[in-house]
Amino acid sequence: MNEKQPSLLGGVMIIAGGTIGAGMLANPISTSGVWFIGSILILIYTWFCMMSSGLMLLEANLHYPTGASFDTIVKDLLGKGWNALNGLSLAFVLYILTYAYITSGGGITEGFVNQLLSSPESAVEIGRTSGSLIFAILLAAFVWFSTKAVDRFSTVLIAGMVISFVLSISGLVSSVKSEVLFDTLSSTDTQYLPYALVALPVCLVSFGFHQNVPSLVKYYNRDASKVVRSVFIGTAIALGIYMLWQFAIQGNLPRSSFGPVIEKGGDIAALLNTLSATLETSYIAVALKFFAYMAIASSFLGVTLGLFDYIADLFGFDDSKLGRTKTALVVFLPPLILSLEYPYGFVIAIGYAGLAATIWAAIVPAMLAKACREKFPERQYTAFGGNGMVYFVILFGLLNILAQLAAQFGWLLEFKG
């Protein structure tokens, strides 16, 4: 009897689910300089390059045994040096994202707890430090306990995220104003193009699915056509949702109103509070806050679970309570301390994650495709575009690195609101 092949829907959901995360909360802030039309063009460009690099990784992966990971493929095709750089960039991305989620989750936690404990007679202010500690310790406990605990809680979070997203997006879309969406009322900064490069590294993080490609090769028993369709459709769904989100946010909150949010490093709590003040319906603001919180929490669990396993393997910590506690301290303590020291760094951190992600999600997959074409004349699957597309993706990666470094040294014009 032939074993039944998994459906295409399963692969599409793996890619779409792994791609869509808290990065979408950073996109409207990072693209506020180029505004709506510019942000759509940047998202399409980023999607095309990242989708292409994912297919290049698939091409290389198919030359190796089922289950082979980045480590095996990069070491064989590019050598130990590139493999070490690739591993370091992956670890850096996971750590910096953990920091980003603690800073944002802490801000929203602070707001929720203050609102819950306050009364008309007395206002309670627990502070940002307490909010970050509550958020990090509560969710870290699930990761420390077991993968199954993370799986169960993530399912609850994702279900809540879908419900709150539908509620908030329906209300936001219906209240979009064309003069806000197309920035026709702006009387101060009417430049858009100079701010394009700043947005690139943040948008790149929004299309990070490449760690799922080897898993899909195994899932579909090396059926390249199904993996290709899963990657294309899954990332296209993510692109559509991001574009709808840009439409909803940038159609309601004027470009000039992003100033206080940018001043606080793209703090999500600041964005939600600013957006809530412009909405006529209070339930939309509540649904938005729940959506943001669940998106950040689910992304935090996904990222830290991967980092937890990576650190345990790297340092040889066992799976006992003591071993898992050691792993948890190495995973959570550095980003938590950084978050307490620099509580307003969400978009900046996502940008740095984009810088490192450029290496393992854009440049390395393109180099792998070129190397495997030289090493293996016969191929089961070849990514579209030939070597021209390889260089196009590498150029995209270099452009992202240049943008992040130029922004760091103050060489780029930054939108202040």
Side-chain angles (χ1 to χ4, degrees):
M1 292 290 287
N2 291 328
E3 191 176 330
K4 187 179 178 182
Q5 283 284 318
S7 69
L8 179 62
L9 180 64
V12 169
M13 288 299 102
I14 288 172
I15 294 295
T19 303
I20 301 164
M24 72 185 293
L25 299 168
N27 285 344
I29 303 166
S30 67
T31 60
S32 56
V34 292
W35 209 235
F36 180 64
I37 299 297
S39 68
I40 296 302
L41 294 175
I42 289 171
L43 284 170
I44 291 173
Y45 171 56
T46 303
W47 162 76
F48 179 75
C49 291
M50 293 291 276
M51 181 268 297
S52 300
S53 72
L55 296 181
M56 290 172 189
L57 177 60
L58 168 64
E59 179 183 339
N61 198 306
L62 288 169
H63 292 287
Y64 294 85
T66 302
S69 66
F70 255 110
D71 183 73
T72 302
I73 302 165
V74 175
K75 192 183 294 180
D76 185 59
L77 289 175
L78 303 181
K80 292 182 179 178
W82 273 104
N83 189 47
L85 179 62
N86 195 63
L88 283 172
S89 67
L90 178 59
F92 179 79
V93 168
L94 296 178
Y95 265 115
I96 208 73
L97 285 177
T98 302
Y99 157 74
Y101 296 147
I102 291 175
T103 61
S104 289
I108 302 175
T109 301
E110 177 194 5
F112 278 144
V113 175
N114 287 346
Q115 191 173 358
L116 185 66
L117 299 181
S118 294
S119 65
E121 293 78 26
S122 61
V124 174
E125 291 288 339
I126 66 164
R128 188 60 170 260
T129 298
S130 298
S132 295
L133 285 169
I134 292 169
F135 177 84
I137 292 170
L138 180 66
L139 292 181
F142 283 93
V143 179
W144 173 85
F145 193 76
S146 70
T147 301
K148 190 173 183 179
V150 172
D151 180 30
R152 294 283 173 85
F153 192 46
S154 293
T155 303
V156 174
L157 288 172
I158 290 168
M161 191 169 70
V162 170
I163 294 167
S164 55
F165 178 76
V166 171
L167 287 173
S168 58
I169 204 74
S170 59
L172 286 170
V173 168
S174 63
S175 61
V176 164
K177 304 171 188 68
S178 60
E179 63 272 18
V180 174
L181 187 67
F182 298 109
D183 197 33
T184 56
L185 298 177
S186 180
S187 58
T188 51
D189 190 348
T190 55
Q191 298 184 92
Y192 302 98
L193 191 58
Y195 303 116
L197 281 178
V198 178
L200 274 176
V202 176
C203 291
L204 182 145
V205 179
S206 301
F207 290 99
F209 64 91
H210 300 67
Q211 69 279 3
N212 296 126
V213 171
S215 303
L216 283 184
V217 171
K218 184 178 181 180
Y219 185 65
Y220 286 123
N221 196 27
R222 307 178 71 84
D223 185 339
S225 64
K226 279 198 171 182
V227 180
V228 170
R229 282 182 285 168
S230 295
V231 168
F232 181 80
I233 298 171
T235 55
I237 289 172
L239 174 66
I241 288 174
Y242 289 146
M243 290 166 68
L244 180 62
W245 185 246
Q246 293 289 121
F247 177 79
I249 299 294
Q250 294 182 341
N252 281 281
L253 188 62
R255 186 170 179 245
S256 57
S257 298
F258 275 82
V261 182
I262 294 168
E263 192 178 340
K264 288 192 173 182
D267 184 45
I268 297 303
L271 171 65
L272 295 175
N273 290 335
T274 306
L275 185 61
S276 298
T278 68
L279 299 173
E280 296 178 7
T281 313
S282 59
Y283 88 85
I284 300 175
V286 174
L288 261 177
K289 286 183 179 179
F290 271 104
F291 165 70
Y293 198 68
M294 290 172 187
I296 290 167
S298 61
S299 294
F300 176 89
L301 289 173
V303 164
T304 55
L305 184 62
L307 183 58
F308 193 93
D309 292 338
Y310 178 83
I311 292 297
D313 182 54
L314 184 67
F315 291 103
F317 295 141
D318 61 33
D319 206 36
S320 66
K321 287 183 178 179
L322 179 60
R324 291 186 73 82
T325 301
K326 290 177 183 177
T327 307
L329 289 173
V330 176
V331 168
F332 296 109
L333 209 52
L336 178 59
I337 291 171
L338 192 63
S339 173
L340 299 179
E341 189 67 27
Y342 303 101
Y344 299 110
F346 181 70
V347 170
I348 296 169
I350 295 286
Y352 278 117
L355 174 64
T358 298
I359 296 170
W360 62 269
I363 293 176
V364 165
M367 292 176 66
L368 289 175
K370 192 170 189 308
C372 82
R373 290 170 191 178
E374 293 170 358
K375 186 172 182 175
F376 305 107
E378 294 183 7
R379 295 184 291 275
Q380 179 186 341
Y381 167 77
T382 303
F384 70 93
N387 285 334
M389 187 56 67
V390 168
Y391 295 122
F392 185 78
V393 171
I394 290 175
L395 180 63
F396 164 75
L398 293 175
L399 194 60
N400 270 272
I401 292 174
L402 176 65
Q404 184 61 47
L405 293 177
Q408 176 63 29
F409 289 109
W411 298 338
L412 288 180
L413 190 63
E414 291 188 45
F415 181 67
K416 301 294 184 183

